[in-house]
Amino acid sequence: MTVIEKDSLIGKRLTKMDAPEKTAGKTRYIHDINLPGQLVGMILRTDRVHAIIKSIDTSAARALPGVHAVLTAKDLPQKGLGVNKDNPPLKGERVRCERDEIAAVAAESEEIAAQALRLIKVEYEDLAPLFDPEAALRPGAPVIHESKPDNVAMAFDYSHGDVVAGEAESDVVVEDTFTLHRVTHCCMGVSGIIADFEATSGNLTLYSNTQVPFLHKREFAEVLGMDPGRIRIIQPPIGGGFGSKLDIYPFEPICVYLAQATRRPVKLVFTRAEEFLASPTRQPAIVRLRSGAKKDGTLTFRTVDILLDNGGYTSWGATIPFVMMQTFSSLYRVPHCLYHTKAVYTNNPYAGSFRGYGNLQATFAIEAHMDKMADAIGMDALDFRMKNAQVAGEVTPQGMDFKTCGLQDCLTLAARDSDFAAKRSAYAARKGAVGGVKRGIGMASMLHVGGGAKIYPSDGCGTNIKLDDFGHVTIMTGASEIGQGSETVLAQLVCEELGVPMSAVTVVNNDTDITPWDVGVHASRTTFIAGNSAVGAARKAKAKILAAAAGLSNLPAEQLDLRGGHVIRAEDGESVMPLAKLLRSLHFSDKAELVTTSHYYEPPSVHQDKGFKGNVSAAYAWATQVVEIEVDTDTGIVTLLKVWAAHDVGRVLNRLGIEGQIEGGIVMGQGYALTEDMIMVEGHLKNAGFTDYKLITAPEIPEMSIEFIETMDGEGPQGAKGVGEAPAICMAAAIGNAIENATGVRLTSLPFTPERVYRGLKQGAAS
Amino acid sequence: MSPTIEITFTLNGMPKRISVDPTLSTLVMLREILGLTGTKYGCGEGECGACTILVDGKSANACLMFAADCDGRAIVTIEGVAIDRSADGLRQAFVDHGGVQCGFCTPGMVVQAKHTLDKQPHADRATIKRGLEGNICRCTGYKKIVDAVAAVSGTNS
Ligand code: FES
Ligand code: FES
């Protein structure tokens, strides 16, 4: 008789299931896949920023040997893509930003396709351009879309309490305008798609990098006028997502149209320059914030006015106020809050969703004011935050229900580990000194959804599980793996239920013909939503297995459990029989039964009302990050020395994976704060490459110290909450506060490039 | 069409003879002609390291090197590293230390790390970071990649 010891996987450092293949160069990304007979698709993009298209002459391109199809807008139905359906795949009448798609070719080779593009002649008549979002609202401004004569693509308004009353009881009121810049995802794998269409069956197979395969299926069907049932989306491993693949973009239907026109598979992959030019960006924002507090440190009110540069078309970027709002209304307890936002059309590149979804911008403004107000009332910056921090059990005026909330623990731990209070006052004492290198310490906290976000009709995820005759488990999940490690976490959660090792599990997550529905990878929802779904399916499988084992062993199912690949006696761990043997005896018996189960998990969150009130997520993630920096006041160079990150993650599932998410997020936030910037001159991107768009590299990373606060969320899988976006959110805010601590100068625009810092210090010293 | 050039070189230890267009890059030759897709395109201009290969034992960006210049050289790609049993420890270290997320930078990182360690088997963390300076990773924040390499060089703190 064998006794099997209990051994939980939760909290362990599990290696990523797909990592060995990736280190061998065996993983086949979309760029590595070629179908027989495949043609190369390429897009002609405009070099104008705002113009009427007078004519497009494709005759020379069509005549070029090796060209199979040349398409322009007049070959396609004029259906708009995106959130406002304002973005036709190919533009026939007018262009509204530099990237705009004018024509597309499918050809035998890249060289021929490129040559064909050069042969296409386009005549334009330039229109008055619009680059400044503030100018977009002035009377007489050029109108970018006739359907929106005021240039407002989208507006969100929210309020609770009475800010006038709040201001009246304030002892200190501060006001600033913060200007946030434009950055882009820079996924290492550039965008691409392969479309394979069979005309007689009407079957369309797409090899796509999308983060939202099931929503995409519907959108493709709508745009293409197809039966969604004929569309199959296969997702090869993705070379980074970060939100960039959340919307359908013109290149995708264009590729399908090329495949339909040529009756050949067509592959369309961007160059890096094209990736910079034609991918969505993080939304640039102008945030006007007015905040108040009483002398005793109680927050009184917040008035927020945000202008977003939407660019030429509307993708998800226009909806970030939805998330920003939560931070303004509910990161700290604010009795009165008034919030207005507008996303306005310009002739700049358009914005999409990007890890953090507006929260980097919102947090930057709020946390600057938290420091400013603390200093104004002479209160310690940590104490001020602690006094206003949310706690578990709070339901905010916006309706967010914080069943678990580790914010005060995050603040305490990050401050303690970094010796925040002592350093902050020591560095502040030196901020008046002239010249040289100065040190600063800064803090920022964040709130983000951690249990999905109910925005679509369903925020759910489905899982099917099957066990084979050898006890091998296949998990079919709707949730995509985009490098974040969801595959491993889902396998881990299922192993925990079924008592099998990680090596006994395969995860299938990349084919809409096989996997059950999921709303997509966004809103840090996969561990929580897909995790709960996987646990649900596993529990059903377990119940089935134990019922069968009870029949075979004469022990009641309640006294049985699964562990180490065996059915065991729960009380002493004694093996009753190997799991594989049980599965076979079920299969090859009179019952002739296979163990397969299915579960759909819908979180207990609600759709917000028209005033944006309601508990939109089933759980919320919290964090505090403290940074220590050096500012060279003679050059303006800011060096990030160390980051202390304390995150309320509900519970740590895979320690190795979650550390990786947090470290990656910190460094992404560092790039946002210090180096990354899309330099636009009159609507033209001037730095479409890594030479001039500066990403952080290995020698520049800070020392990172990470603490986890485990609040054991009652709804989360094993207590876990989402974490994907959280770590990128605080960095710019904390660095801004640290620069002020070091120098006494409050910089309100990003990024903190040496030039901006140097100038800011000069002006600050002068004023 | 320009006349092609015939080149001879060793690829992952095996002799190769192939005719190439003089304008062809090593990256396109490897990926499109020879079918070795482990070497990645990340930028095409020598700025990201996704295409890192070893040329006569030194790391190089395949996107910047003409295929014709492979003539007479020993080229090792990630596929060559993967069949090299002496490099299993390095690849396993990337797995064990969490140096892989989306994995797109990983082949270039592994090849570059191998180059660093071949030169300096006991490279310290600062040396490792400098060695990886030309390799961009958007996912990991680099720390776990450095941890992986330092575990092999025996300098992990
Ligand atoms: S592809 Fe060669 S360095 Fe980026
Ligand atoms: S793991 Fe994704 S770019 Fe490095």
Short mmCIF file of all heavy atoms in Angstrom, two decimals, chain A residues 15-16 22-25 29 31-32 184-186 188 238 242 271-272 483 656 659-661 663-664 676 691 695-697, chain B residues 31 37-38 40-43 47-48 78 91 95-96 98 100-104 129 133 136 138-144:
data_model
loop_
_atom_site.label_atom_id
_atom_site.label_comp_id
_atom_site.label_asym_id
_atom_site.label_seq_id
_atom_site.Cartn_x
_atom_site.Cartn_y
_atom_site.Cartn_z
N THR A 15 7.87 26.62 -13.79
CA THR A 15 8.42 27.14 -15.05
C THR A 15 7.32 27.14 -16.10
O THR A 15 6.36 26.37 -16.04
CB THR A 15 9.60 26.30 -15.53
OG1 THR A 15 9.13 24.96 -15.75
CG2 THR A 15 10.70 26.27 -14.48
N LYS A 16 7.48 28.03 -17.06
CA LYS A 16 6.47 28.20 -18.08
C LYS A 16 6.45 26.98 -19.01
O LYS A 16 7.49 26.52 -19.47
CB LYS A 16 6.82 29.46 -18.89
CG LYS A 16 5.65 30.34 -19.17
CD LYS A 16 6.11 31.70 -19.62
CE LYS A 16 5.00 32.38 -20.36
NZ LYS A 16 4.63 31.74 -21.61
N LYS A 22 10.55 27.54 -26.71
CA LYS A 22 10.94 28.92 -27.06
C LYS A 22 12.45 29.10 -26.99
O LYS A 22 13.03 29.81 -27.81
CB LYS A 22 10.21 29.91 -26.15
CG LYS A 22 8.73 30.07 -26.56
CD LYS A 22 7.93 30.96 -25.62
CE LYS A 22 6.54 31.25 -26.21
NZ LYS A 22 5.66 31.97 -25.27
N THR A 23 13.11 28.45 -26.02
CA THR A 23 14.57 28.60 -25.95
C THR A 23 15.27 27.84 -27.07
O THR A 23 16.45 28.07 -27.33
CB THR A 23 15.15 28.08 -24.61
OG1 THR A 23 14.96 26.65 -24.56
CG2 THR A 23 14.51 28.74 -23.42
N ALA A 24 14.55 26.95 -27.71
CA ALA A 24 15.16 26.17 -28.80
C ALA A 24 14.89 26.80 -30.16
O ALA A 24 15.35 26.30 -31.19
CB ALA A 24 14.63 24.73 -28.78
N GLY A 25 14.13 27.89 -30.18
CA GLY A 25 13.77 28.50 -31.47
C GLY A 25 12.76 27.68 -32.25
O GLY A 25 12.62 27.82 -33.45
N TYR A 29 5.85 31.28 -34.56
CA TYR A 29 5.01 32.47 -34.52
C TYR A 29 4.41 32.68 -35.91
O TYR A 29 4.78 32.00 -36.87
CB TYR A 29 5.85 33.69 -34.10
CG TYR A 29 6.46 33.54 -32.73
CD1 TYR A 29 7.67 32.87 -32.57
CD2 TYR A 29 5.82 34.03 -31.61
CE1 TYR A 29 8.23 32.70 -31.31
CE2 TYR A 29 6.37 33.87 -30.34
CZ TYR A 29 7.58 33.20 -30.20
OH TYR A 29 8.12 33.02 -28.96
N HIS A 31 4.99 34.77 -38.03
CA HIS A 31 6.02 35.09 -39.02
C HIS A 31 6.68 33.84 -39.58
O HIS A 31 7.28 33.87 -40.63
CB HIS A 31 7.08 35.98 -38.37
CG HIS A 31 6.49 36.97 -37.39
ND1 HIS A 31 6.20 36.63 -36.08
CD2 HIS A 31 6.08 38.22 -37.56
CE1 HIS A 31 5.64 37.67 -35.47
NE2 HIS A 31 5.55 38.65 -36.34
N ASP A 32 6.59 32.76 -38.83
CA ASP A 32 7.31 31.53 -39.19
C ASP A 32 6.42 30.54 -39.94
O ASP A 32 6.86 29.46 -40.31
CB ASP A 32 7.83 30.86 -37.91
CG ASP A 32 8.61 31.83 -37.04
OD1 ASP A 32 9.30 32.69 -37.62
OD2 ASP A 32 8.52 31.73 -35.81
N THR A 184 3.99 53.64 -27.73
CA THR A 184 3.38 52.49 -28.41
C THR A 184 3.94 51.18 -27.85
O THR A 184 4.93 51.18 -27.14
CB THR A 184 3.54 52.62 -29.94
OG1 THR A 184 2.79 51.58 -30.57
CG2 THR A 184 5.00 52.51 -30.35
N HIS A 185 3.26 50.09 -28.18
CA HIS A 185 3.51 48.82 -27.50
C HIS A 185 4.89 48.23 -27.77
O HIS A 185 5.48 47.62 -26.91
CB HIS A 185 2.45 47.80 -27.91
CG HIS A 185 1.05 48.29 -27.70
ND1 HIS A 185 0.49 49.26 -28.49
CD2 HIS A 185 0.12 47.96 -26.79
CE1 HIS A 185 -0.75 49.50 -28.06
NE2 HIS A 185 -0.99 48.72 -27.04
N CYS A 186 5.34 48.35 -29.00
CA CYS A 186 6.62 47.74 -29.37
C CYS A 186 6.69 46.26 -29.02
O CYS A 186 7.68 45.81 -28.42
CB CYS A 186 7.79 48.47 -28.72
SG CYS A 186 7.97 50.16 -29.24
N MET A 188 7.72 42.67 -29.55
CA MET A 188 8.88 42.26 -30.33
C MET A 188 8.48 41.52 -31.61
O MET A 188 9.18 41.59 -32.60
CB MET A 188 9.82 41.41 -29.47
CG MET A 188 10.59 42.23 -28.44
SD MET A 188 11.35 43.72 -29.15
CE MET A 188 12.52 42.96 -30.24
N ILE A 238 2.05 34.27 -29.69
CA ILE A 238 2.07 35.71 -29.97
C ILE A 238 3.33 36.34 -29.40
O ILE A 238 3.69 36.09 -28.25
CB ILE A 238 0.81 36.35 -29.36
CG1 ILE A 238 -0.43 35.80 -30.05
CG2 ILE A 238 0.86 37.87 -29.48
CD1 ILE A 238 -1.75 36.29 -29.49
N PHE A 242 0.11 43.13 -24.85
CA PHE A 242 0.02 44.35 -24.05
C PHE A 242 -1.17 45.22 -24.42
O PHE A 242 -1.15 46.42 -24.21
CB PHE A 242 1.31 45.18 -24.16
CG PHE A 242 2.58 44.38 -24.04
CD1 PHE A 242 3.46 44.27 -25.11
CD2 PHE A 242 2.87 43.72 -22.86
CE1 PHE A 242 4.61 43.51 -25.00
CE2 PHE A 242 4.03 42.96 -22.74
CZ PHE A 242 4.90 42.86 -23.82
N THR A 271 6.50 45.52 -41.38
CA THR A 271 7.90 45.81 -41.05
C THR A 271 7.89 46.53 -39.70
O THR A 271 6.84 46.96 -39.23
CB THR A 271 8.53 46.75 -42.09
OG1 THR A 271 7.80 47.98 -42.08
CG2 THR A 271 8.50 46.15 -43.49
N ARG A 272 9.06 46.68 -39.10
CA ARG A 272 9.10 47.39 -37.82
C ARG A 272 8.66 48.84 -38.00
O ARG A 272 7.93 49.38 -37.15
CB ARG A 272 10.51 47.32 -37.21
CG ARG A 272 10.68 48.10 -35.91
CD ARG A 272 9.69 47.72 -34.81
NE ARG A 272 9.86 46.35 -34.36
CZ ARG A 272 9.08 45.76 -33.47
NH1 ARG A 272 8.04 46.40 -32.94
NH2 ARG A 272 9.28 44.50 -33.14
N GLY A 483 2.03 35.32 -23.77
CA GLY A 483 3.35 35.45 -23.17
C GLY A 483 3.27 35.67 -21.68
O GLY A 483 4.25 35.53 -20.97
N LEU A 656 7.06 32.37 -9.80
CA LEU A 656 7.99 32.76 -10.87
C LEU A 656 7.27 33.60 -11.92
O LEU A 656 7.77 34.62 -12.38
CB LEU A 656 8.57 31.49 -11.52
CG LEU A 656 9.74 31.67 -12.46
CD1 LEU A 656 10.97 32.19 -11.72
CD2 LEU A 656 10.08 30.34 -13.14
N GLU A 659 6.24 37.18 -10.51
CA GLU A 659 7.42 38.06 -10.42
C GLU A 659 7.77 38.59 -11.81
O GLU A 659 8.08 39.76 -11.98
CB GLU A 659 8.63 37.30 -9.88
CG GLU A 659 8.64 37.09 -8.39
CD GLU A 659 9.84 36.24 -7.95
OE1 GLU A 659 10.73 35.92 -8.79
OE2 GLU A 659 9.87 35.89 -6.77
N GLY A 660 7.71 37.70 -12.78
CA GLY A 660 8.04 38.10 -14.15
C GLY A 660 7.10 39.16 -14.68
O GLY A 660 7.50 40.11 -15.35
N GLN A 661 5.80 39.00 -14.36
CA GLN A 661 4.83 40.01 -14.78
C GLN A 661 5.15 41.36 -14.14
O GLN A 661 5.08 42.40 -14.77
CB GLN A 661 3.41 39.59 -14.36
CG GLN A 661 2.81 38.52 -15.25
CD GLN A 661 2.52 39.04 -16.64
OE1 GLN A 661 1.68 39.90 -16.83
NE2 GLN A 661 3.25 38.54 -17.61
N GLU A 663 8.07 42.46 -12.75
CA GLU A 663 9.33 43.04 -13.22
C GLU A 663 9.16 43.63 -14.62
O GLU A 663 9.61 44.75 -14.90
CB GLU A 663 10.44 41.98 -13.23
CG GLU A 663 10.85 41.56 -11.82
CD GLU A 663 11.58 40.23 -11.79
OE1 GLU A 663 11.92 39.70 -12.86
OE2 GLU A 663 11.82 39.72 -10.67
N GLY A 664 8.49 42.89 -15.50
CA GLY A 664 8.27 43.38 -16.86
C GLY A 664 7.44 44.65 -16.86
O GLY A 664 7.70 45.58 -17.64
N GLU A 676 10.56 56.63 -23.52
CA GLU A 676 9.75 56.38 -24.72
C GLU A 676 8.90 57.59 -25.08
O GLU A 676 8.28 58.19 -24.21
CB GLU A 676 8.83 55.18 -24.48
CG GLU A 676 9.57 53.88 -24.33
CD GLU A 676 8.62 52.73 -24.04
OE1 GLU A 676 7.54 52.69 -24.65
OE2 GLU A 676 8.96 51.90 -23.19
N THR A 691 16.09 52.89 -33.03
CA THR A 691 17.25 53.77 -32.90
C THR A 691 16.85 55.04 -32.16
O THR A 691 17.57 55.52 -31.29
CB THR A 691 17.79 54.15 -34.30
OG1 THR A 691 17.83 52.97 -35.10
CG2 THR A 691 19.16 54.76 -34.21
N LEU A 695 13.77 52.20 -26.04
CA LEU A 695 13.26 51.27 -25.03
C LEU A 695 14.36 51.02 -23.99
O LEU A 695 15.55 51.15 -24.29
CB LEU A 695 12.87 49.94 -25.68
CG LEU A 695 11.68 50.00 -26.65
CD1 LEU A 695 11.55 48.67 -27.39
CD2 LEU A 695 10.39 50.31 -25.92
N ILE A 696 13.94 50.65 -22.80
CA ILE A 696 14.90 50.34 -21.74
C ILE A 696 15.65 49.05 -22.13
O ILE A 696 15.04 48.10 -22.62
CB ILE A 696 14.16 50.13 -20.41
CG1 ILE A 696 13.39 51.39 -19.99
CG2 ILE A 696 15.11 49.66 -19.29
CD1 ILE A 696 14.24 52.59 -19.67
N THR A 697 16.95 49.04 -21.89
CA THR A 697 17.73 47.81 -22.15
C THR A 697 18.30 47.28 -20.82
O THR A 697 18.22 47.96 -19.79
CB THR A 697 18.88 48.08 -23.14
OG1 THR A 697 19.72 49.11 -22.60
CG2 THR A 697 18.35 48.51 -24.49
N ARG B 31 15.84 32.34 -42.77
CA ARG B 31 14.42 32.14 -42.51
C ARG B 31 13.64 31.67 -43.73
O ARG B 31 12.85 30.73 -43.66
CB ARG B 31 13.78 33.45 -42.00
CG ARG B 31 14.22 33.85 -40.59
CD ARG B 31 13.53 35.14 -40.15
NE ARG B 31 12.08 35.03 -40.30
CZ ARG B 31 11.27 34.43 -39.43
NH1 ARG B 31 11.78 33.94 -38.32
NH2 ARG B 31 9.98 34.34 -39.66
N THR B 37 13.63 29.11 -38.88
CA THR B 37 12.84 30.27 -38.44
C THR B 37 13.08 30.63 -36.98
O THR B 37 12.41 31.53 -36.46
CB THR B 37 11.34 30.01 -38.67
OG1 THR B 37 11.00 28.79 -38.01
CG2 THR B 37 11.01 29.92 -40.14
N GLY B 38 14.01 29.94 -36.33
CA GLY B 38 14.30 30.29 -34.94
C GLY B 38 14.91 31.68 -34.80
O GLY B 38 14.71 32.36 -33.80
N LYS B 40 14.91 35.45 -35.40
CA LYS B 40 13.72 36.29 -35.58
C LYS B 40 14.03 37.62 -36.23
O LYS B 40 15.11 38.19 -36.05
CB LYS B 40 13.07 36.55 -34.21
CG LYS B 40 12.63 35.29 -33.49
CD LYS B 40 11.59 34.53 -34.27
CE LYS B 40 11.16 33.25 -33.59
NZ LYS B 40 10.60 32.29 -34.53
N TYR B 41 13.00 38.14 -36.90
CA TYR B 41 13.03 39.53 -37.37
C TYR B 41 12.34 40.40 -36.34
O TYR B 41 11.17 40.17 -36.02
CB TYR B 41 12.29 39.65 -38.71
CG TYR B 41 11.95 41.09 -39.10
CD1 TYR B 41 12.87 41.86 -39.82
CD2 TYR B 41 10.74 41.68 -38.73
CE1 TYR B 41 12.58 43.18 -40.16
CE2 TYR B 41 10.44 42.99 -39.07
CZ TYR B 41 11.36 43.73 -39.78
OH TYR B 41 11.08 45.03 -40.11
N GLY B 42 13.09 41.36 -35.78
CA GLY B 42 12.44 42.28 -34.84
C GLY B 42 12.49 43.71 -35.33
O GLY B 42 11.65 44.52 -34.95
N CYS B 43 13.49 44.03 -36.16
CA CYS B 43 13.61 45.42 -36.61
C CYS B 43 14.28 45.55 -37.97
O CYS B 43 14.06 46.51 -38.69
CB CYS B 43 14.39 46.24 -35.59
SG CYS B 43 16.14 45.83 -35.48
N GLU B 47 18.98 46.85 -34.29
CA GLU B 47 18.68 47.54 -33.03
C GLU B 47 18.01 46.68 -31.97
O GLU B 47 17.76 47.15 -30.87
CB GLU B 47 17.77 48.76 -33.32
CG GLU B 47 18.45 49.87 -34.07
CD GLU B 47 19.48 50.63 -33.22
OE1 GLU B 47 19.43 50.54 -31.99
OE2 GLU B 47 20.33 51.29 -33.83
N CYS B 48 17.65 45.42 -32.30
CA CYS B 48 16.87 44.68 -31.30
C CYS B 48 17.47 43.34 -30.90
O CYS B 48 17.11 42.80 -29.86
CB CYS B 48 15.44 44.46 -31.80
SG CYS B 48 15.29 43.17 -33.03
N ILE B 78 20.14 29.59 -33.48
CA ILE B 78 19.53 29.02 -32.28
C ILE B 78 19.27 27.52 -32.47
O ILE B 78 19.38 26.74 -31.53
CB ILE B 78 18.23 29.77 -31.89
CG1 ILE B 78 17.67 29.28 -30.56
CG2 ILE B 78 17.16 29.65 -32.98
CD1 ILE B 78 18.53 29.55 -29.36
N ARG B 91 20.02 26.89 -21.78
CA ARG B 91 18.60 26.94 -22.15
C ARG B 91 17.73 26.59 -20.95
O ARG B 91 16.71 27.23 -20.70
CB ARG B 91 18.32 25.99 -23.33
CG ARG B 91 18.96 26.47 -24.64
CD ARG B 91 18.23 25.90 -25.83
NE ARG B 91 18.30 24.46 -25.90
CZ ARG B 91 17.25 23.64 -25.87
NH1 ARG B 91 16.03 24.12 -25.75
NH2 ARG B 91 17.41 22.33 -25.95
N VAL B 95 14.67 28.66 -18.78
CA VAL B 95 13.37 28.09 -18.37
C VAL B 95 13.21 28.21 -16.86
O VAL B 95 12.22 28.74 -16.36
CB VAL B 95 13.28 26.61 -18.80
CG1 VAL B 95 11.98 25.98 -18.30
CG2 VAL B 95 13.39 26.48 -20.33
N ASP B 96 14.21 27.74 -16.12
CA ASP B 96 14.11 27.67 -14.65
C ASP B 96 13.99 29.04 -13.99
O ASP B 96 13.34 29.18 -12.97
CB ASP B 96 15.34 26.95 -14.07
CG ASP B 96 15.37 25.49 -14.43
OD1 ASP B 96 14.32 24.96 -14.86
OD2 ASP B 96 16.44 24.86 -14.31
N GLY B 98 12.77 31.78 -15.36
CA GLY B 98 11.68 32.62 -15.86
C GLY B 98 12.14 33.65 -16.88
O GLY B 98 11.52 34.70 -17.00
N VAL B 100 11.81 33.61 -19.94
CA VAL B 100 11.02 33.53 -21.16
C VAL B 100 9.58 33.94 -20.88
O VAL B 100 8.95 33.38 -19.98
CB VAL B 100 11.01 32.08 -21.70
CG1 VAL B 100 10.20 32.00 -22.99
CG2 VAL B 100 12.42 31.55 -21.91
N GLN B 101 9.07 34.90 -21.61
CA GLN B 101 7.62 35.14 -21.56
C GLN B 101 7.04 34.91 -22.95
O GLN B 101 6.79 33.76 -23.32
CB GLN B 101 7.32 36.52 -20.98
CG GLN B 101 7.55 36.56 -19.45
CD GLN B 101 7.12 37.84 -18.80
OE1 GLN B 101 6.24 38.54 -19.25
NE2 GLN B 101 7.76 38.16 -17.68
N CYS B 102 6.86 35.96 -23.75
CA CYS B 102 6.32 35.68 -25.09
C CYS B 102 7.32 34.87 -25.90
O CYS B 102 6.96 34.17 -26.82
CB CYS B 102 5.93 36.97 -25.81
SG CYS B 102 7.28 37.79 -26.67
N GLY B 103 8.59 34.99 -25.56
CA GLY B 103 9.62 34.17 -26.18
C GLY B 103 10.17 34.69 -27.49
O GLY B 103 11.06 34.07 -28.06
N PHE B 104 9.68 35.82 -27.94
CA PHE B 104 10.13 36.28 -29.26
C PHE B 104 11.58 36.74 -29.23
O PHE B 104 12.31 36.56 -30.20
CB PHE B 104 9.22 37.41 -29.77
CG PHE B 104 9.22 37.52 -31.25
CD1 PHE B 104 8.38 36.72 -32.02
CD2 PHE B 104 10.08 38.38 -31.91
CE1 PHE B 104 8.40 36.80 -33.41
CE2 PHE B 104 10.09 38.46 -33.30
CZ PHE B 104 9.25 37.67 -34.04
N LYS B 129 24.79 41.99 -18.25
CA LYS B 129 23.88 43.04 -18.71
C LYS B 129 24.46 43.79 -19.91
O LYS B 129 23.75 44.07 -20.86
CB LYS B 129 23.60 44.03 -17.58
CG LYS B 129 22.65 43.51 -16.52
CD LYS B 129 22.37 44.62 -15.52
CE LYS B 129 21.60 44.10 -14.33
NZ LYS B 129 21.55 45.09 -13.25
N GLU B 133 23.00 44.13 -23.87
CA GLU B 133 22.52 45.50 -24.11
C GLU B 133 21.83 45.67 -25.47
O GLU B 133 20.88 46.44 -25.60
CB GLU B 133 23.70 46.47 -24.00
CG GLU B 133 23.27 47.92 -24.11
CD GLU B 133 24.37 48.88 -23.69
OE1 GLU B 133 25.54 48.46 -23.61
OE2 GLU B 133 24.04 50.05 -23.44
N ILE B 136 16.65 43.54 -27.16
CA ILE B 136 15.48 44.13 -26.52
C ILE B 136 14.50 43.02 -26.12
O ILE B 136 14.23 42.10 -26.89
CB ILE B 136 14.77 45.11 -27.48
CG1 ILE B 136 15.68 46.30 -27.77
CG2 ILE B 136 13.46 45.60 -26.86
CD1 ILE B 136 15.12 47.25 -28.79
N ARG B 138 10.59 43.07 -24.44
CA ARG B 138 9.50 43.95 -24.01
C ARG B 138 8.71 43.33 -22.85
O ARG B 138 7.88 44.00 -22.26
CB ARG B 138 8.58 44.20 -25.21
CG ARG B 138 7.55 45.30 -25.03
CD ARG B 138 8.14 46.62 -24.61
NE ARG B 138 7.31 47.75 -24.97
CZ ARG B 138 7.46 48.97 -24.46
NH1 ARG B 138 8.41 49.21 -23.58
NH2 ARG B 138 6.67 49.96 -24.85
N CYS B 139 8.95 42.06 -22.58
CA CYS B 139 8.09 41.37 -21.61
C CYS B 139 8.69 41.26 -20.21
O CYS B 139 8.00 41.49 -19.23
CB CYS B 139 7.79 39.95 -22.08
SG CYS B 139 6.97 39.85 -23.67
N THR B 140 9.93 40.83 -20.12
CA THR B 140 10.43 40.32 -18.83
C THR B 140 11.00 41.38 -17.91
O THR B 140 11.18 41.11 -16.72
CB THR B 140 11.56 39.29 -19.05
OG1 THR B 140 12.65 39.98 -19.68
CG2 THR B 140 11.11 38.14 -19.90
N GLY B 141 11.39 42.52 -18.45
CA GLY B 141 12.12 43.47 -17.62
C GLY B 141 13.56 43.03 -17.38
O GLY B 141 14.24 43.56 -16.51
N TYR B 142 14.02 42.06 -18.12
CA TYR B 142 15.41 41.60 -18.20
C TYR B 142 15.94 40.88 -16.95
O TYR B 142 16.89 40.12 -17.03
CB TYR B 142 16.39 42.75 -18.51
CG TYR B 142 16.07 43.48 -19.79
CD1 TYR B 142 15.41 44.71 -19.77
CD2 TYR B 142 16.42 42.94 -21.03
CE1 TYR B 142 15.12 45.38 -20.95
CE2 TYR B 142 16.13 43.61 -22.20
CZ TYR B 142 15.48 44.83 -22.17
OH TYR B 142 15.19 45.50 -23.31
N LYS B 143 15.36 41.16 -15.78
CA LYS B 143 16.00 40.66 -14.56
C LYS B 143 16.14 39.15 -14.60
O LYS B 143 17.20 38.60 -14.29
CB LYS B 143 15.21 41.09 -13.33
CG LYS B 143 15.76 40.45 -12.06
CD LYS B 143 15.26 41.12 -10.82
CE LYS B 143 15.90 40.50 -9.59
NZ LYS B 143 15.47 39.10 -9.38
N LYS B 144 15.08 38.47 -15.02
CA LYS B 144 15.12 37.01 -14.98
C LYS B 144 16.02 36.45 -16.07
O LYS B 144 16.54 35.34 -15.93
CB LYS B 144 13.70 36.45 -15.07
CG LYS B 144 12.87 36.86 -13.84
CD LYS B 144 11.77 35.90 -13.55
CE LYS B 144 11.00 36.26 -12.29
NZ LYS B 144 11.83 36.59 -11.12
#
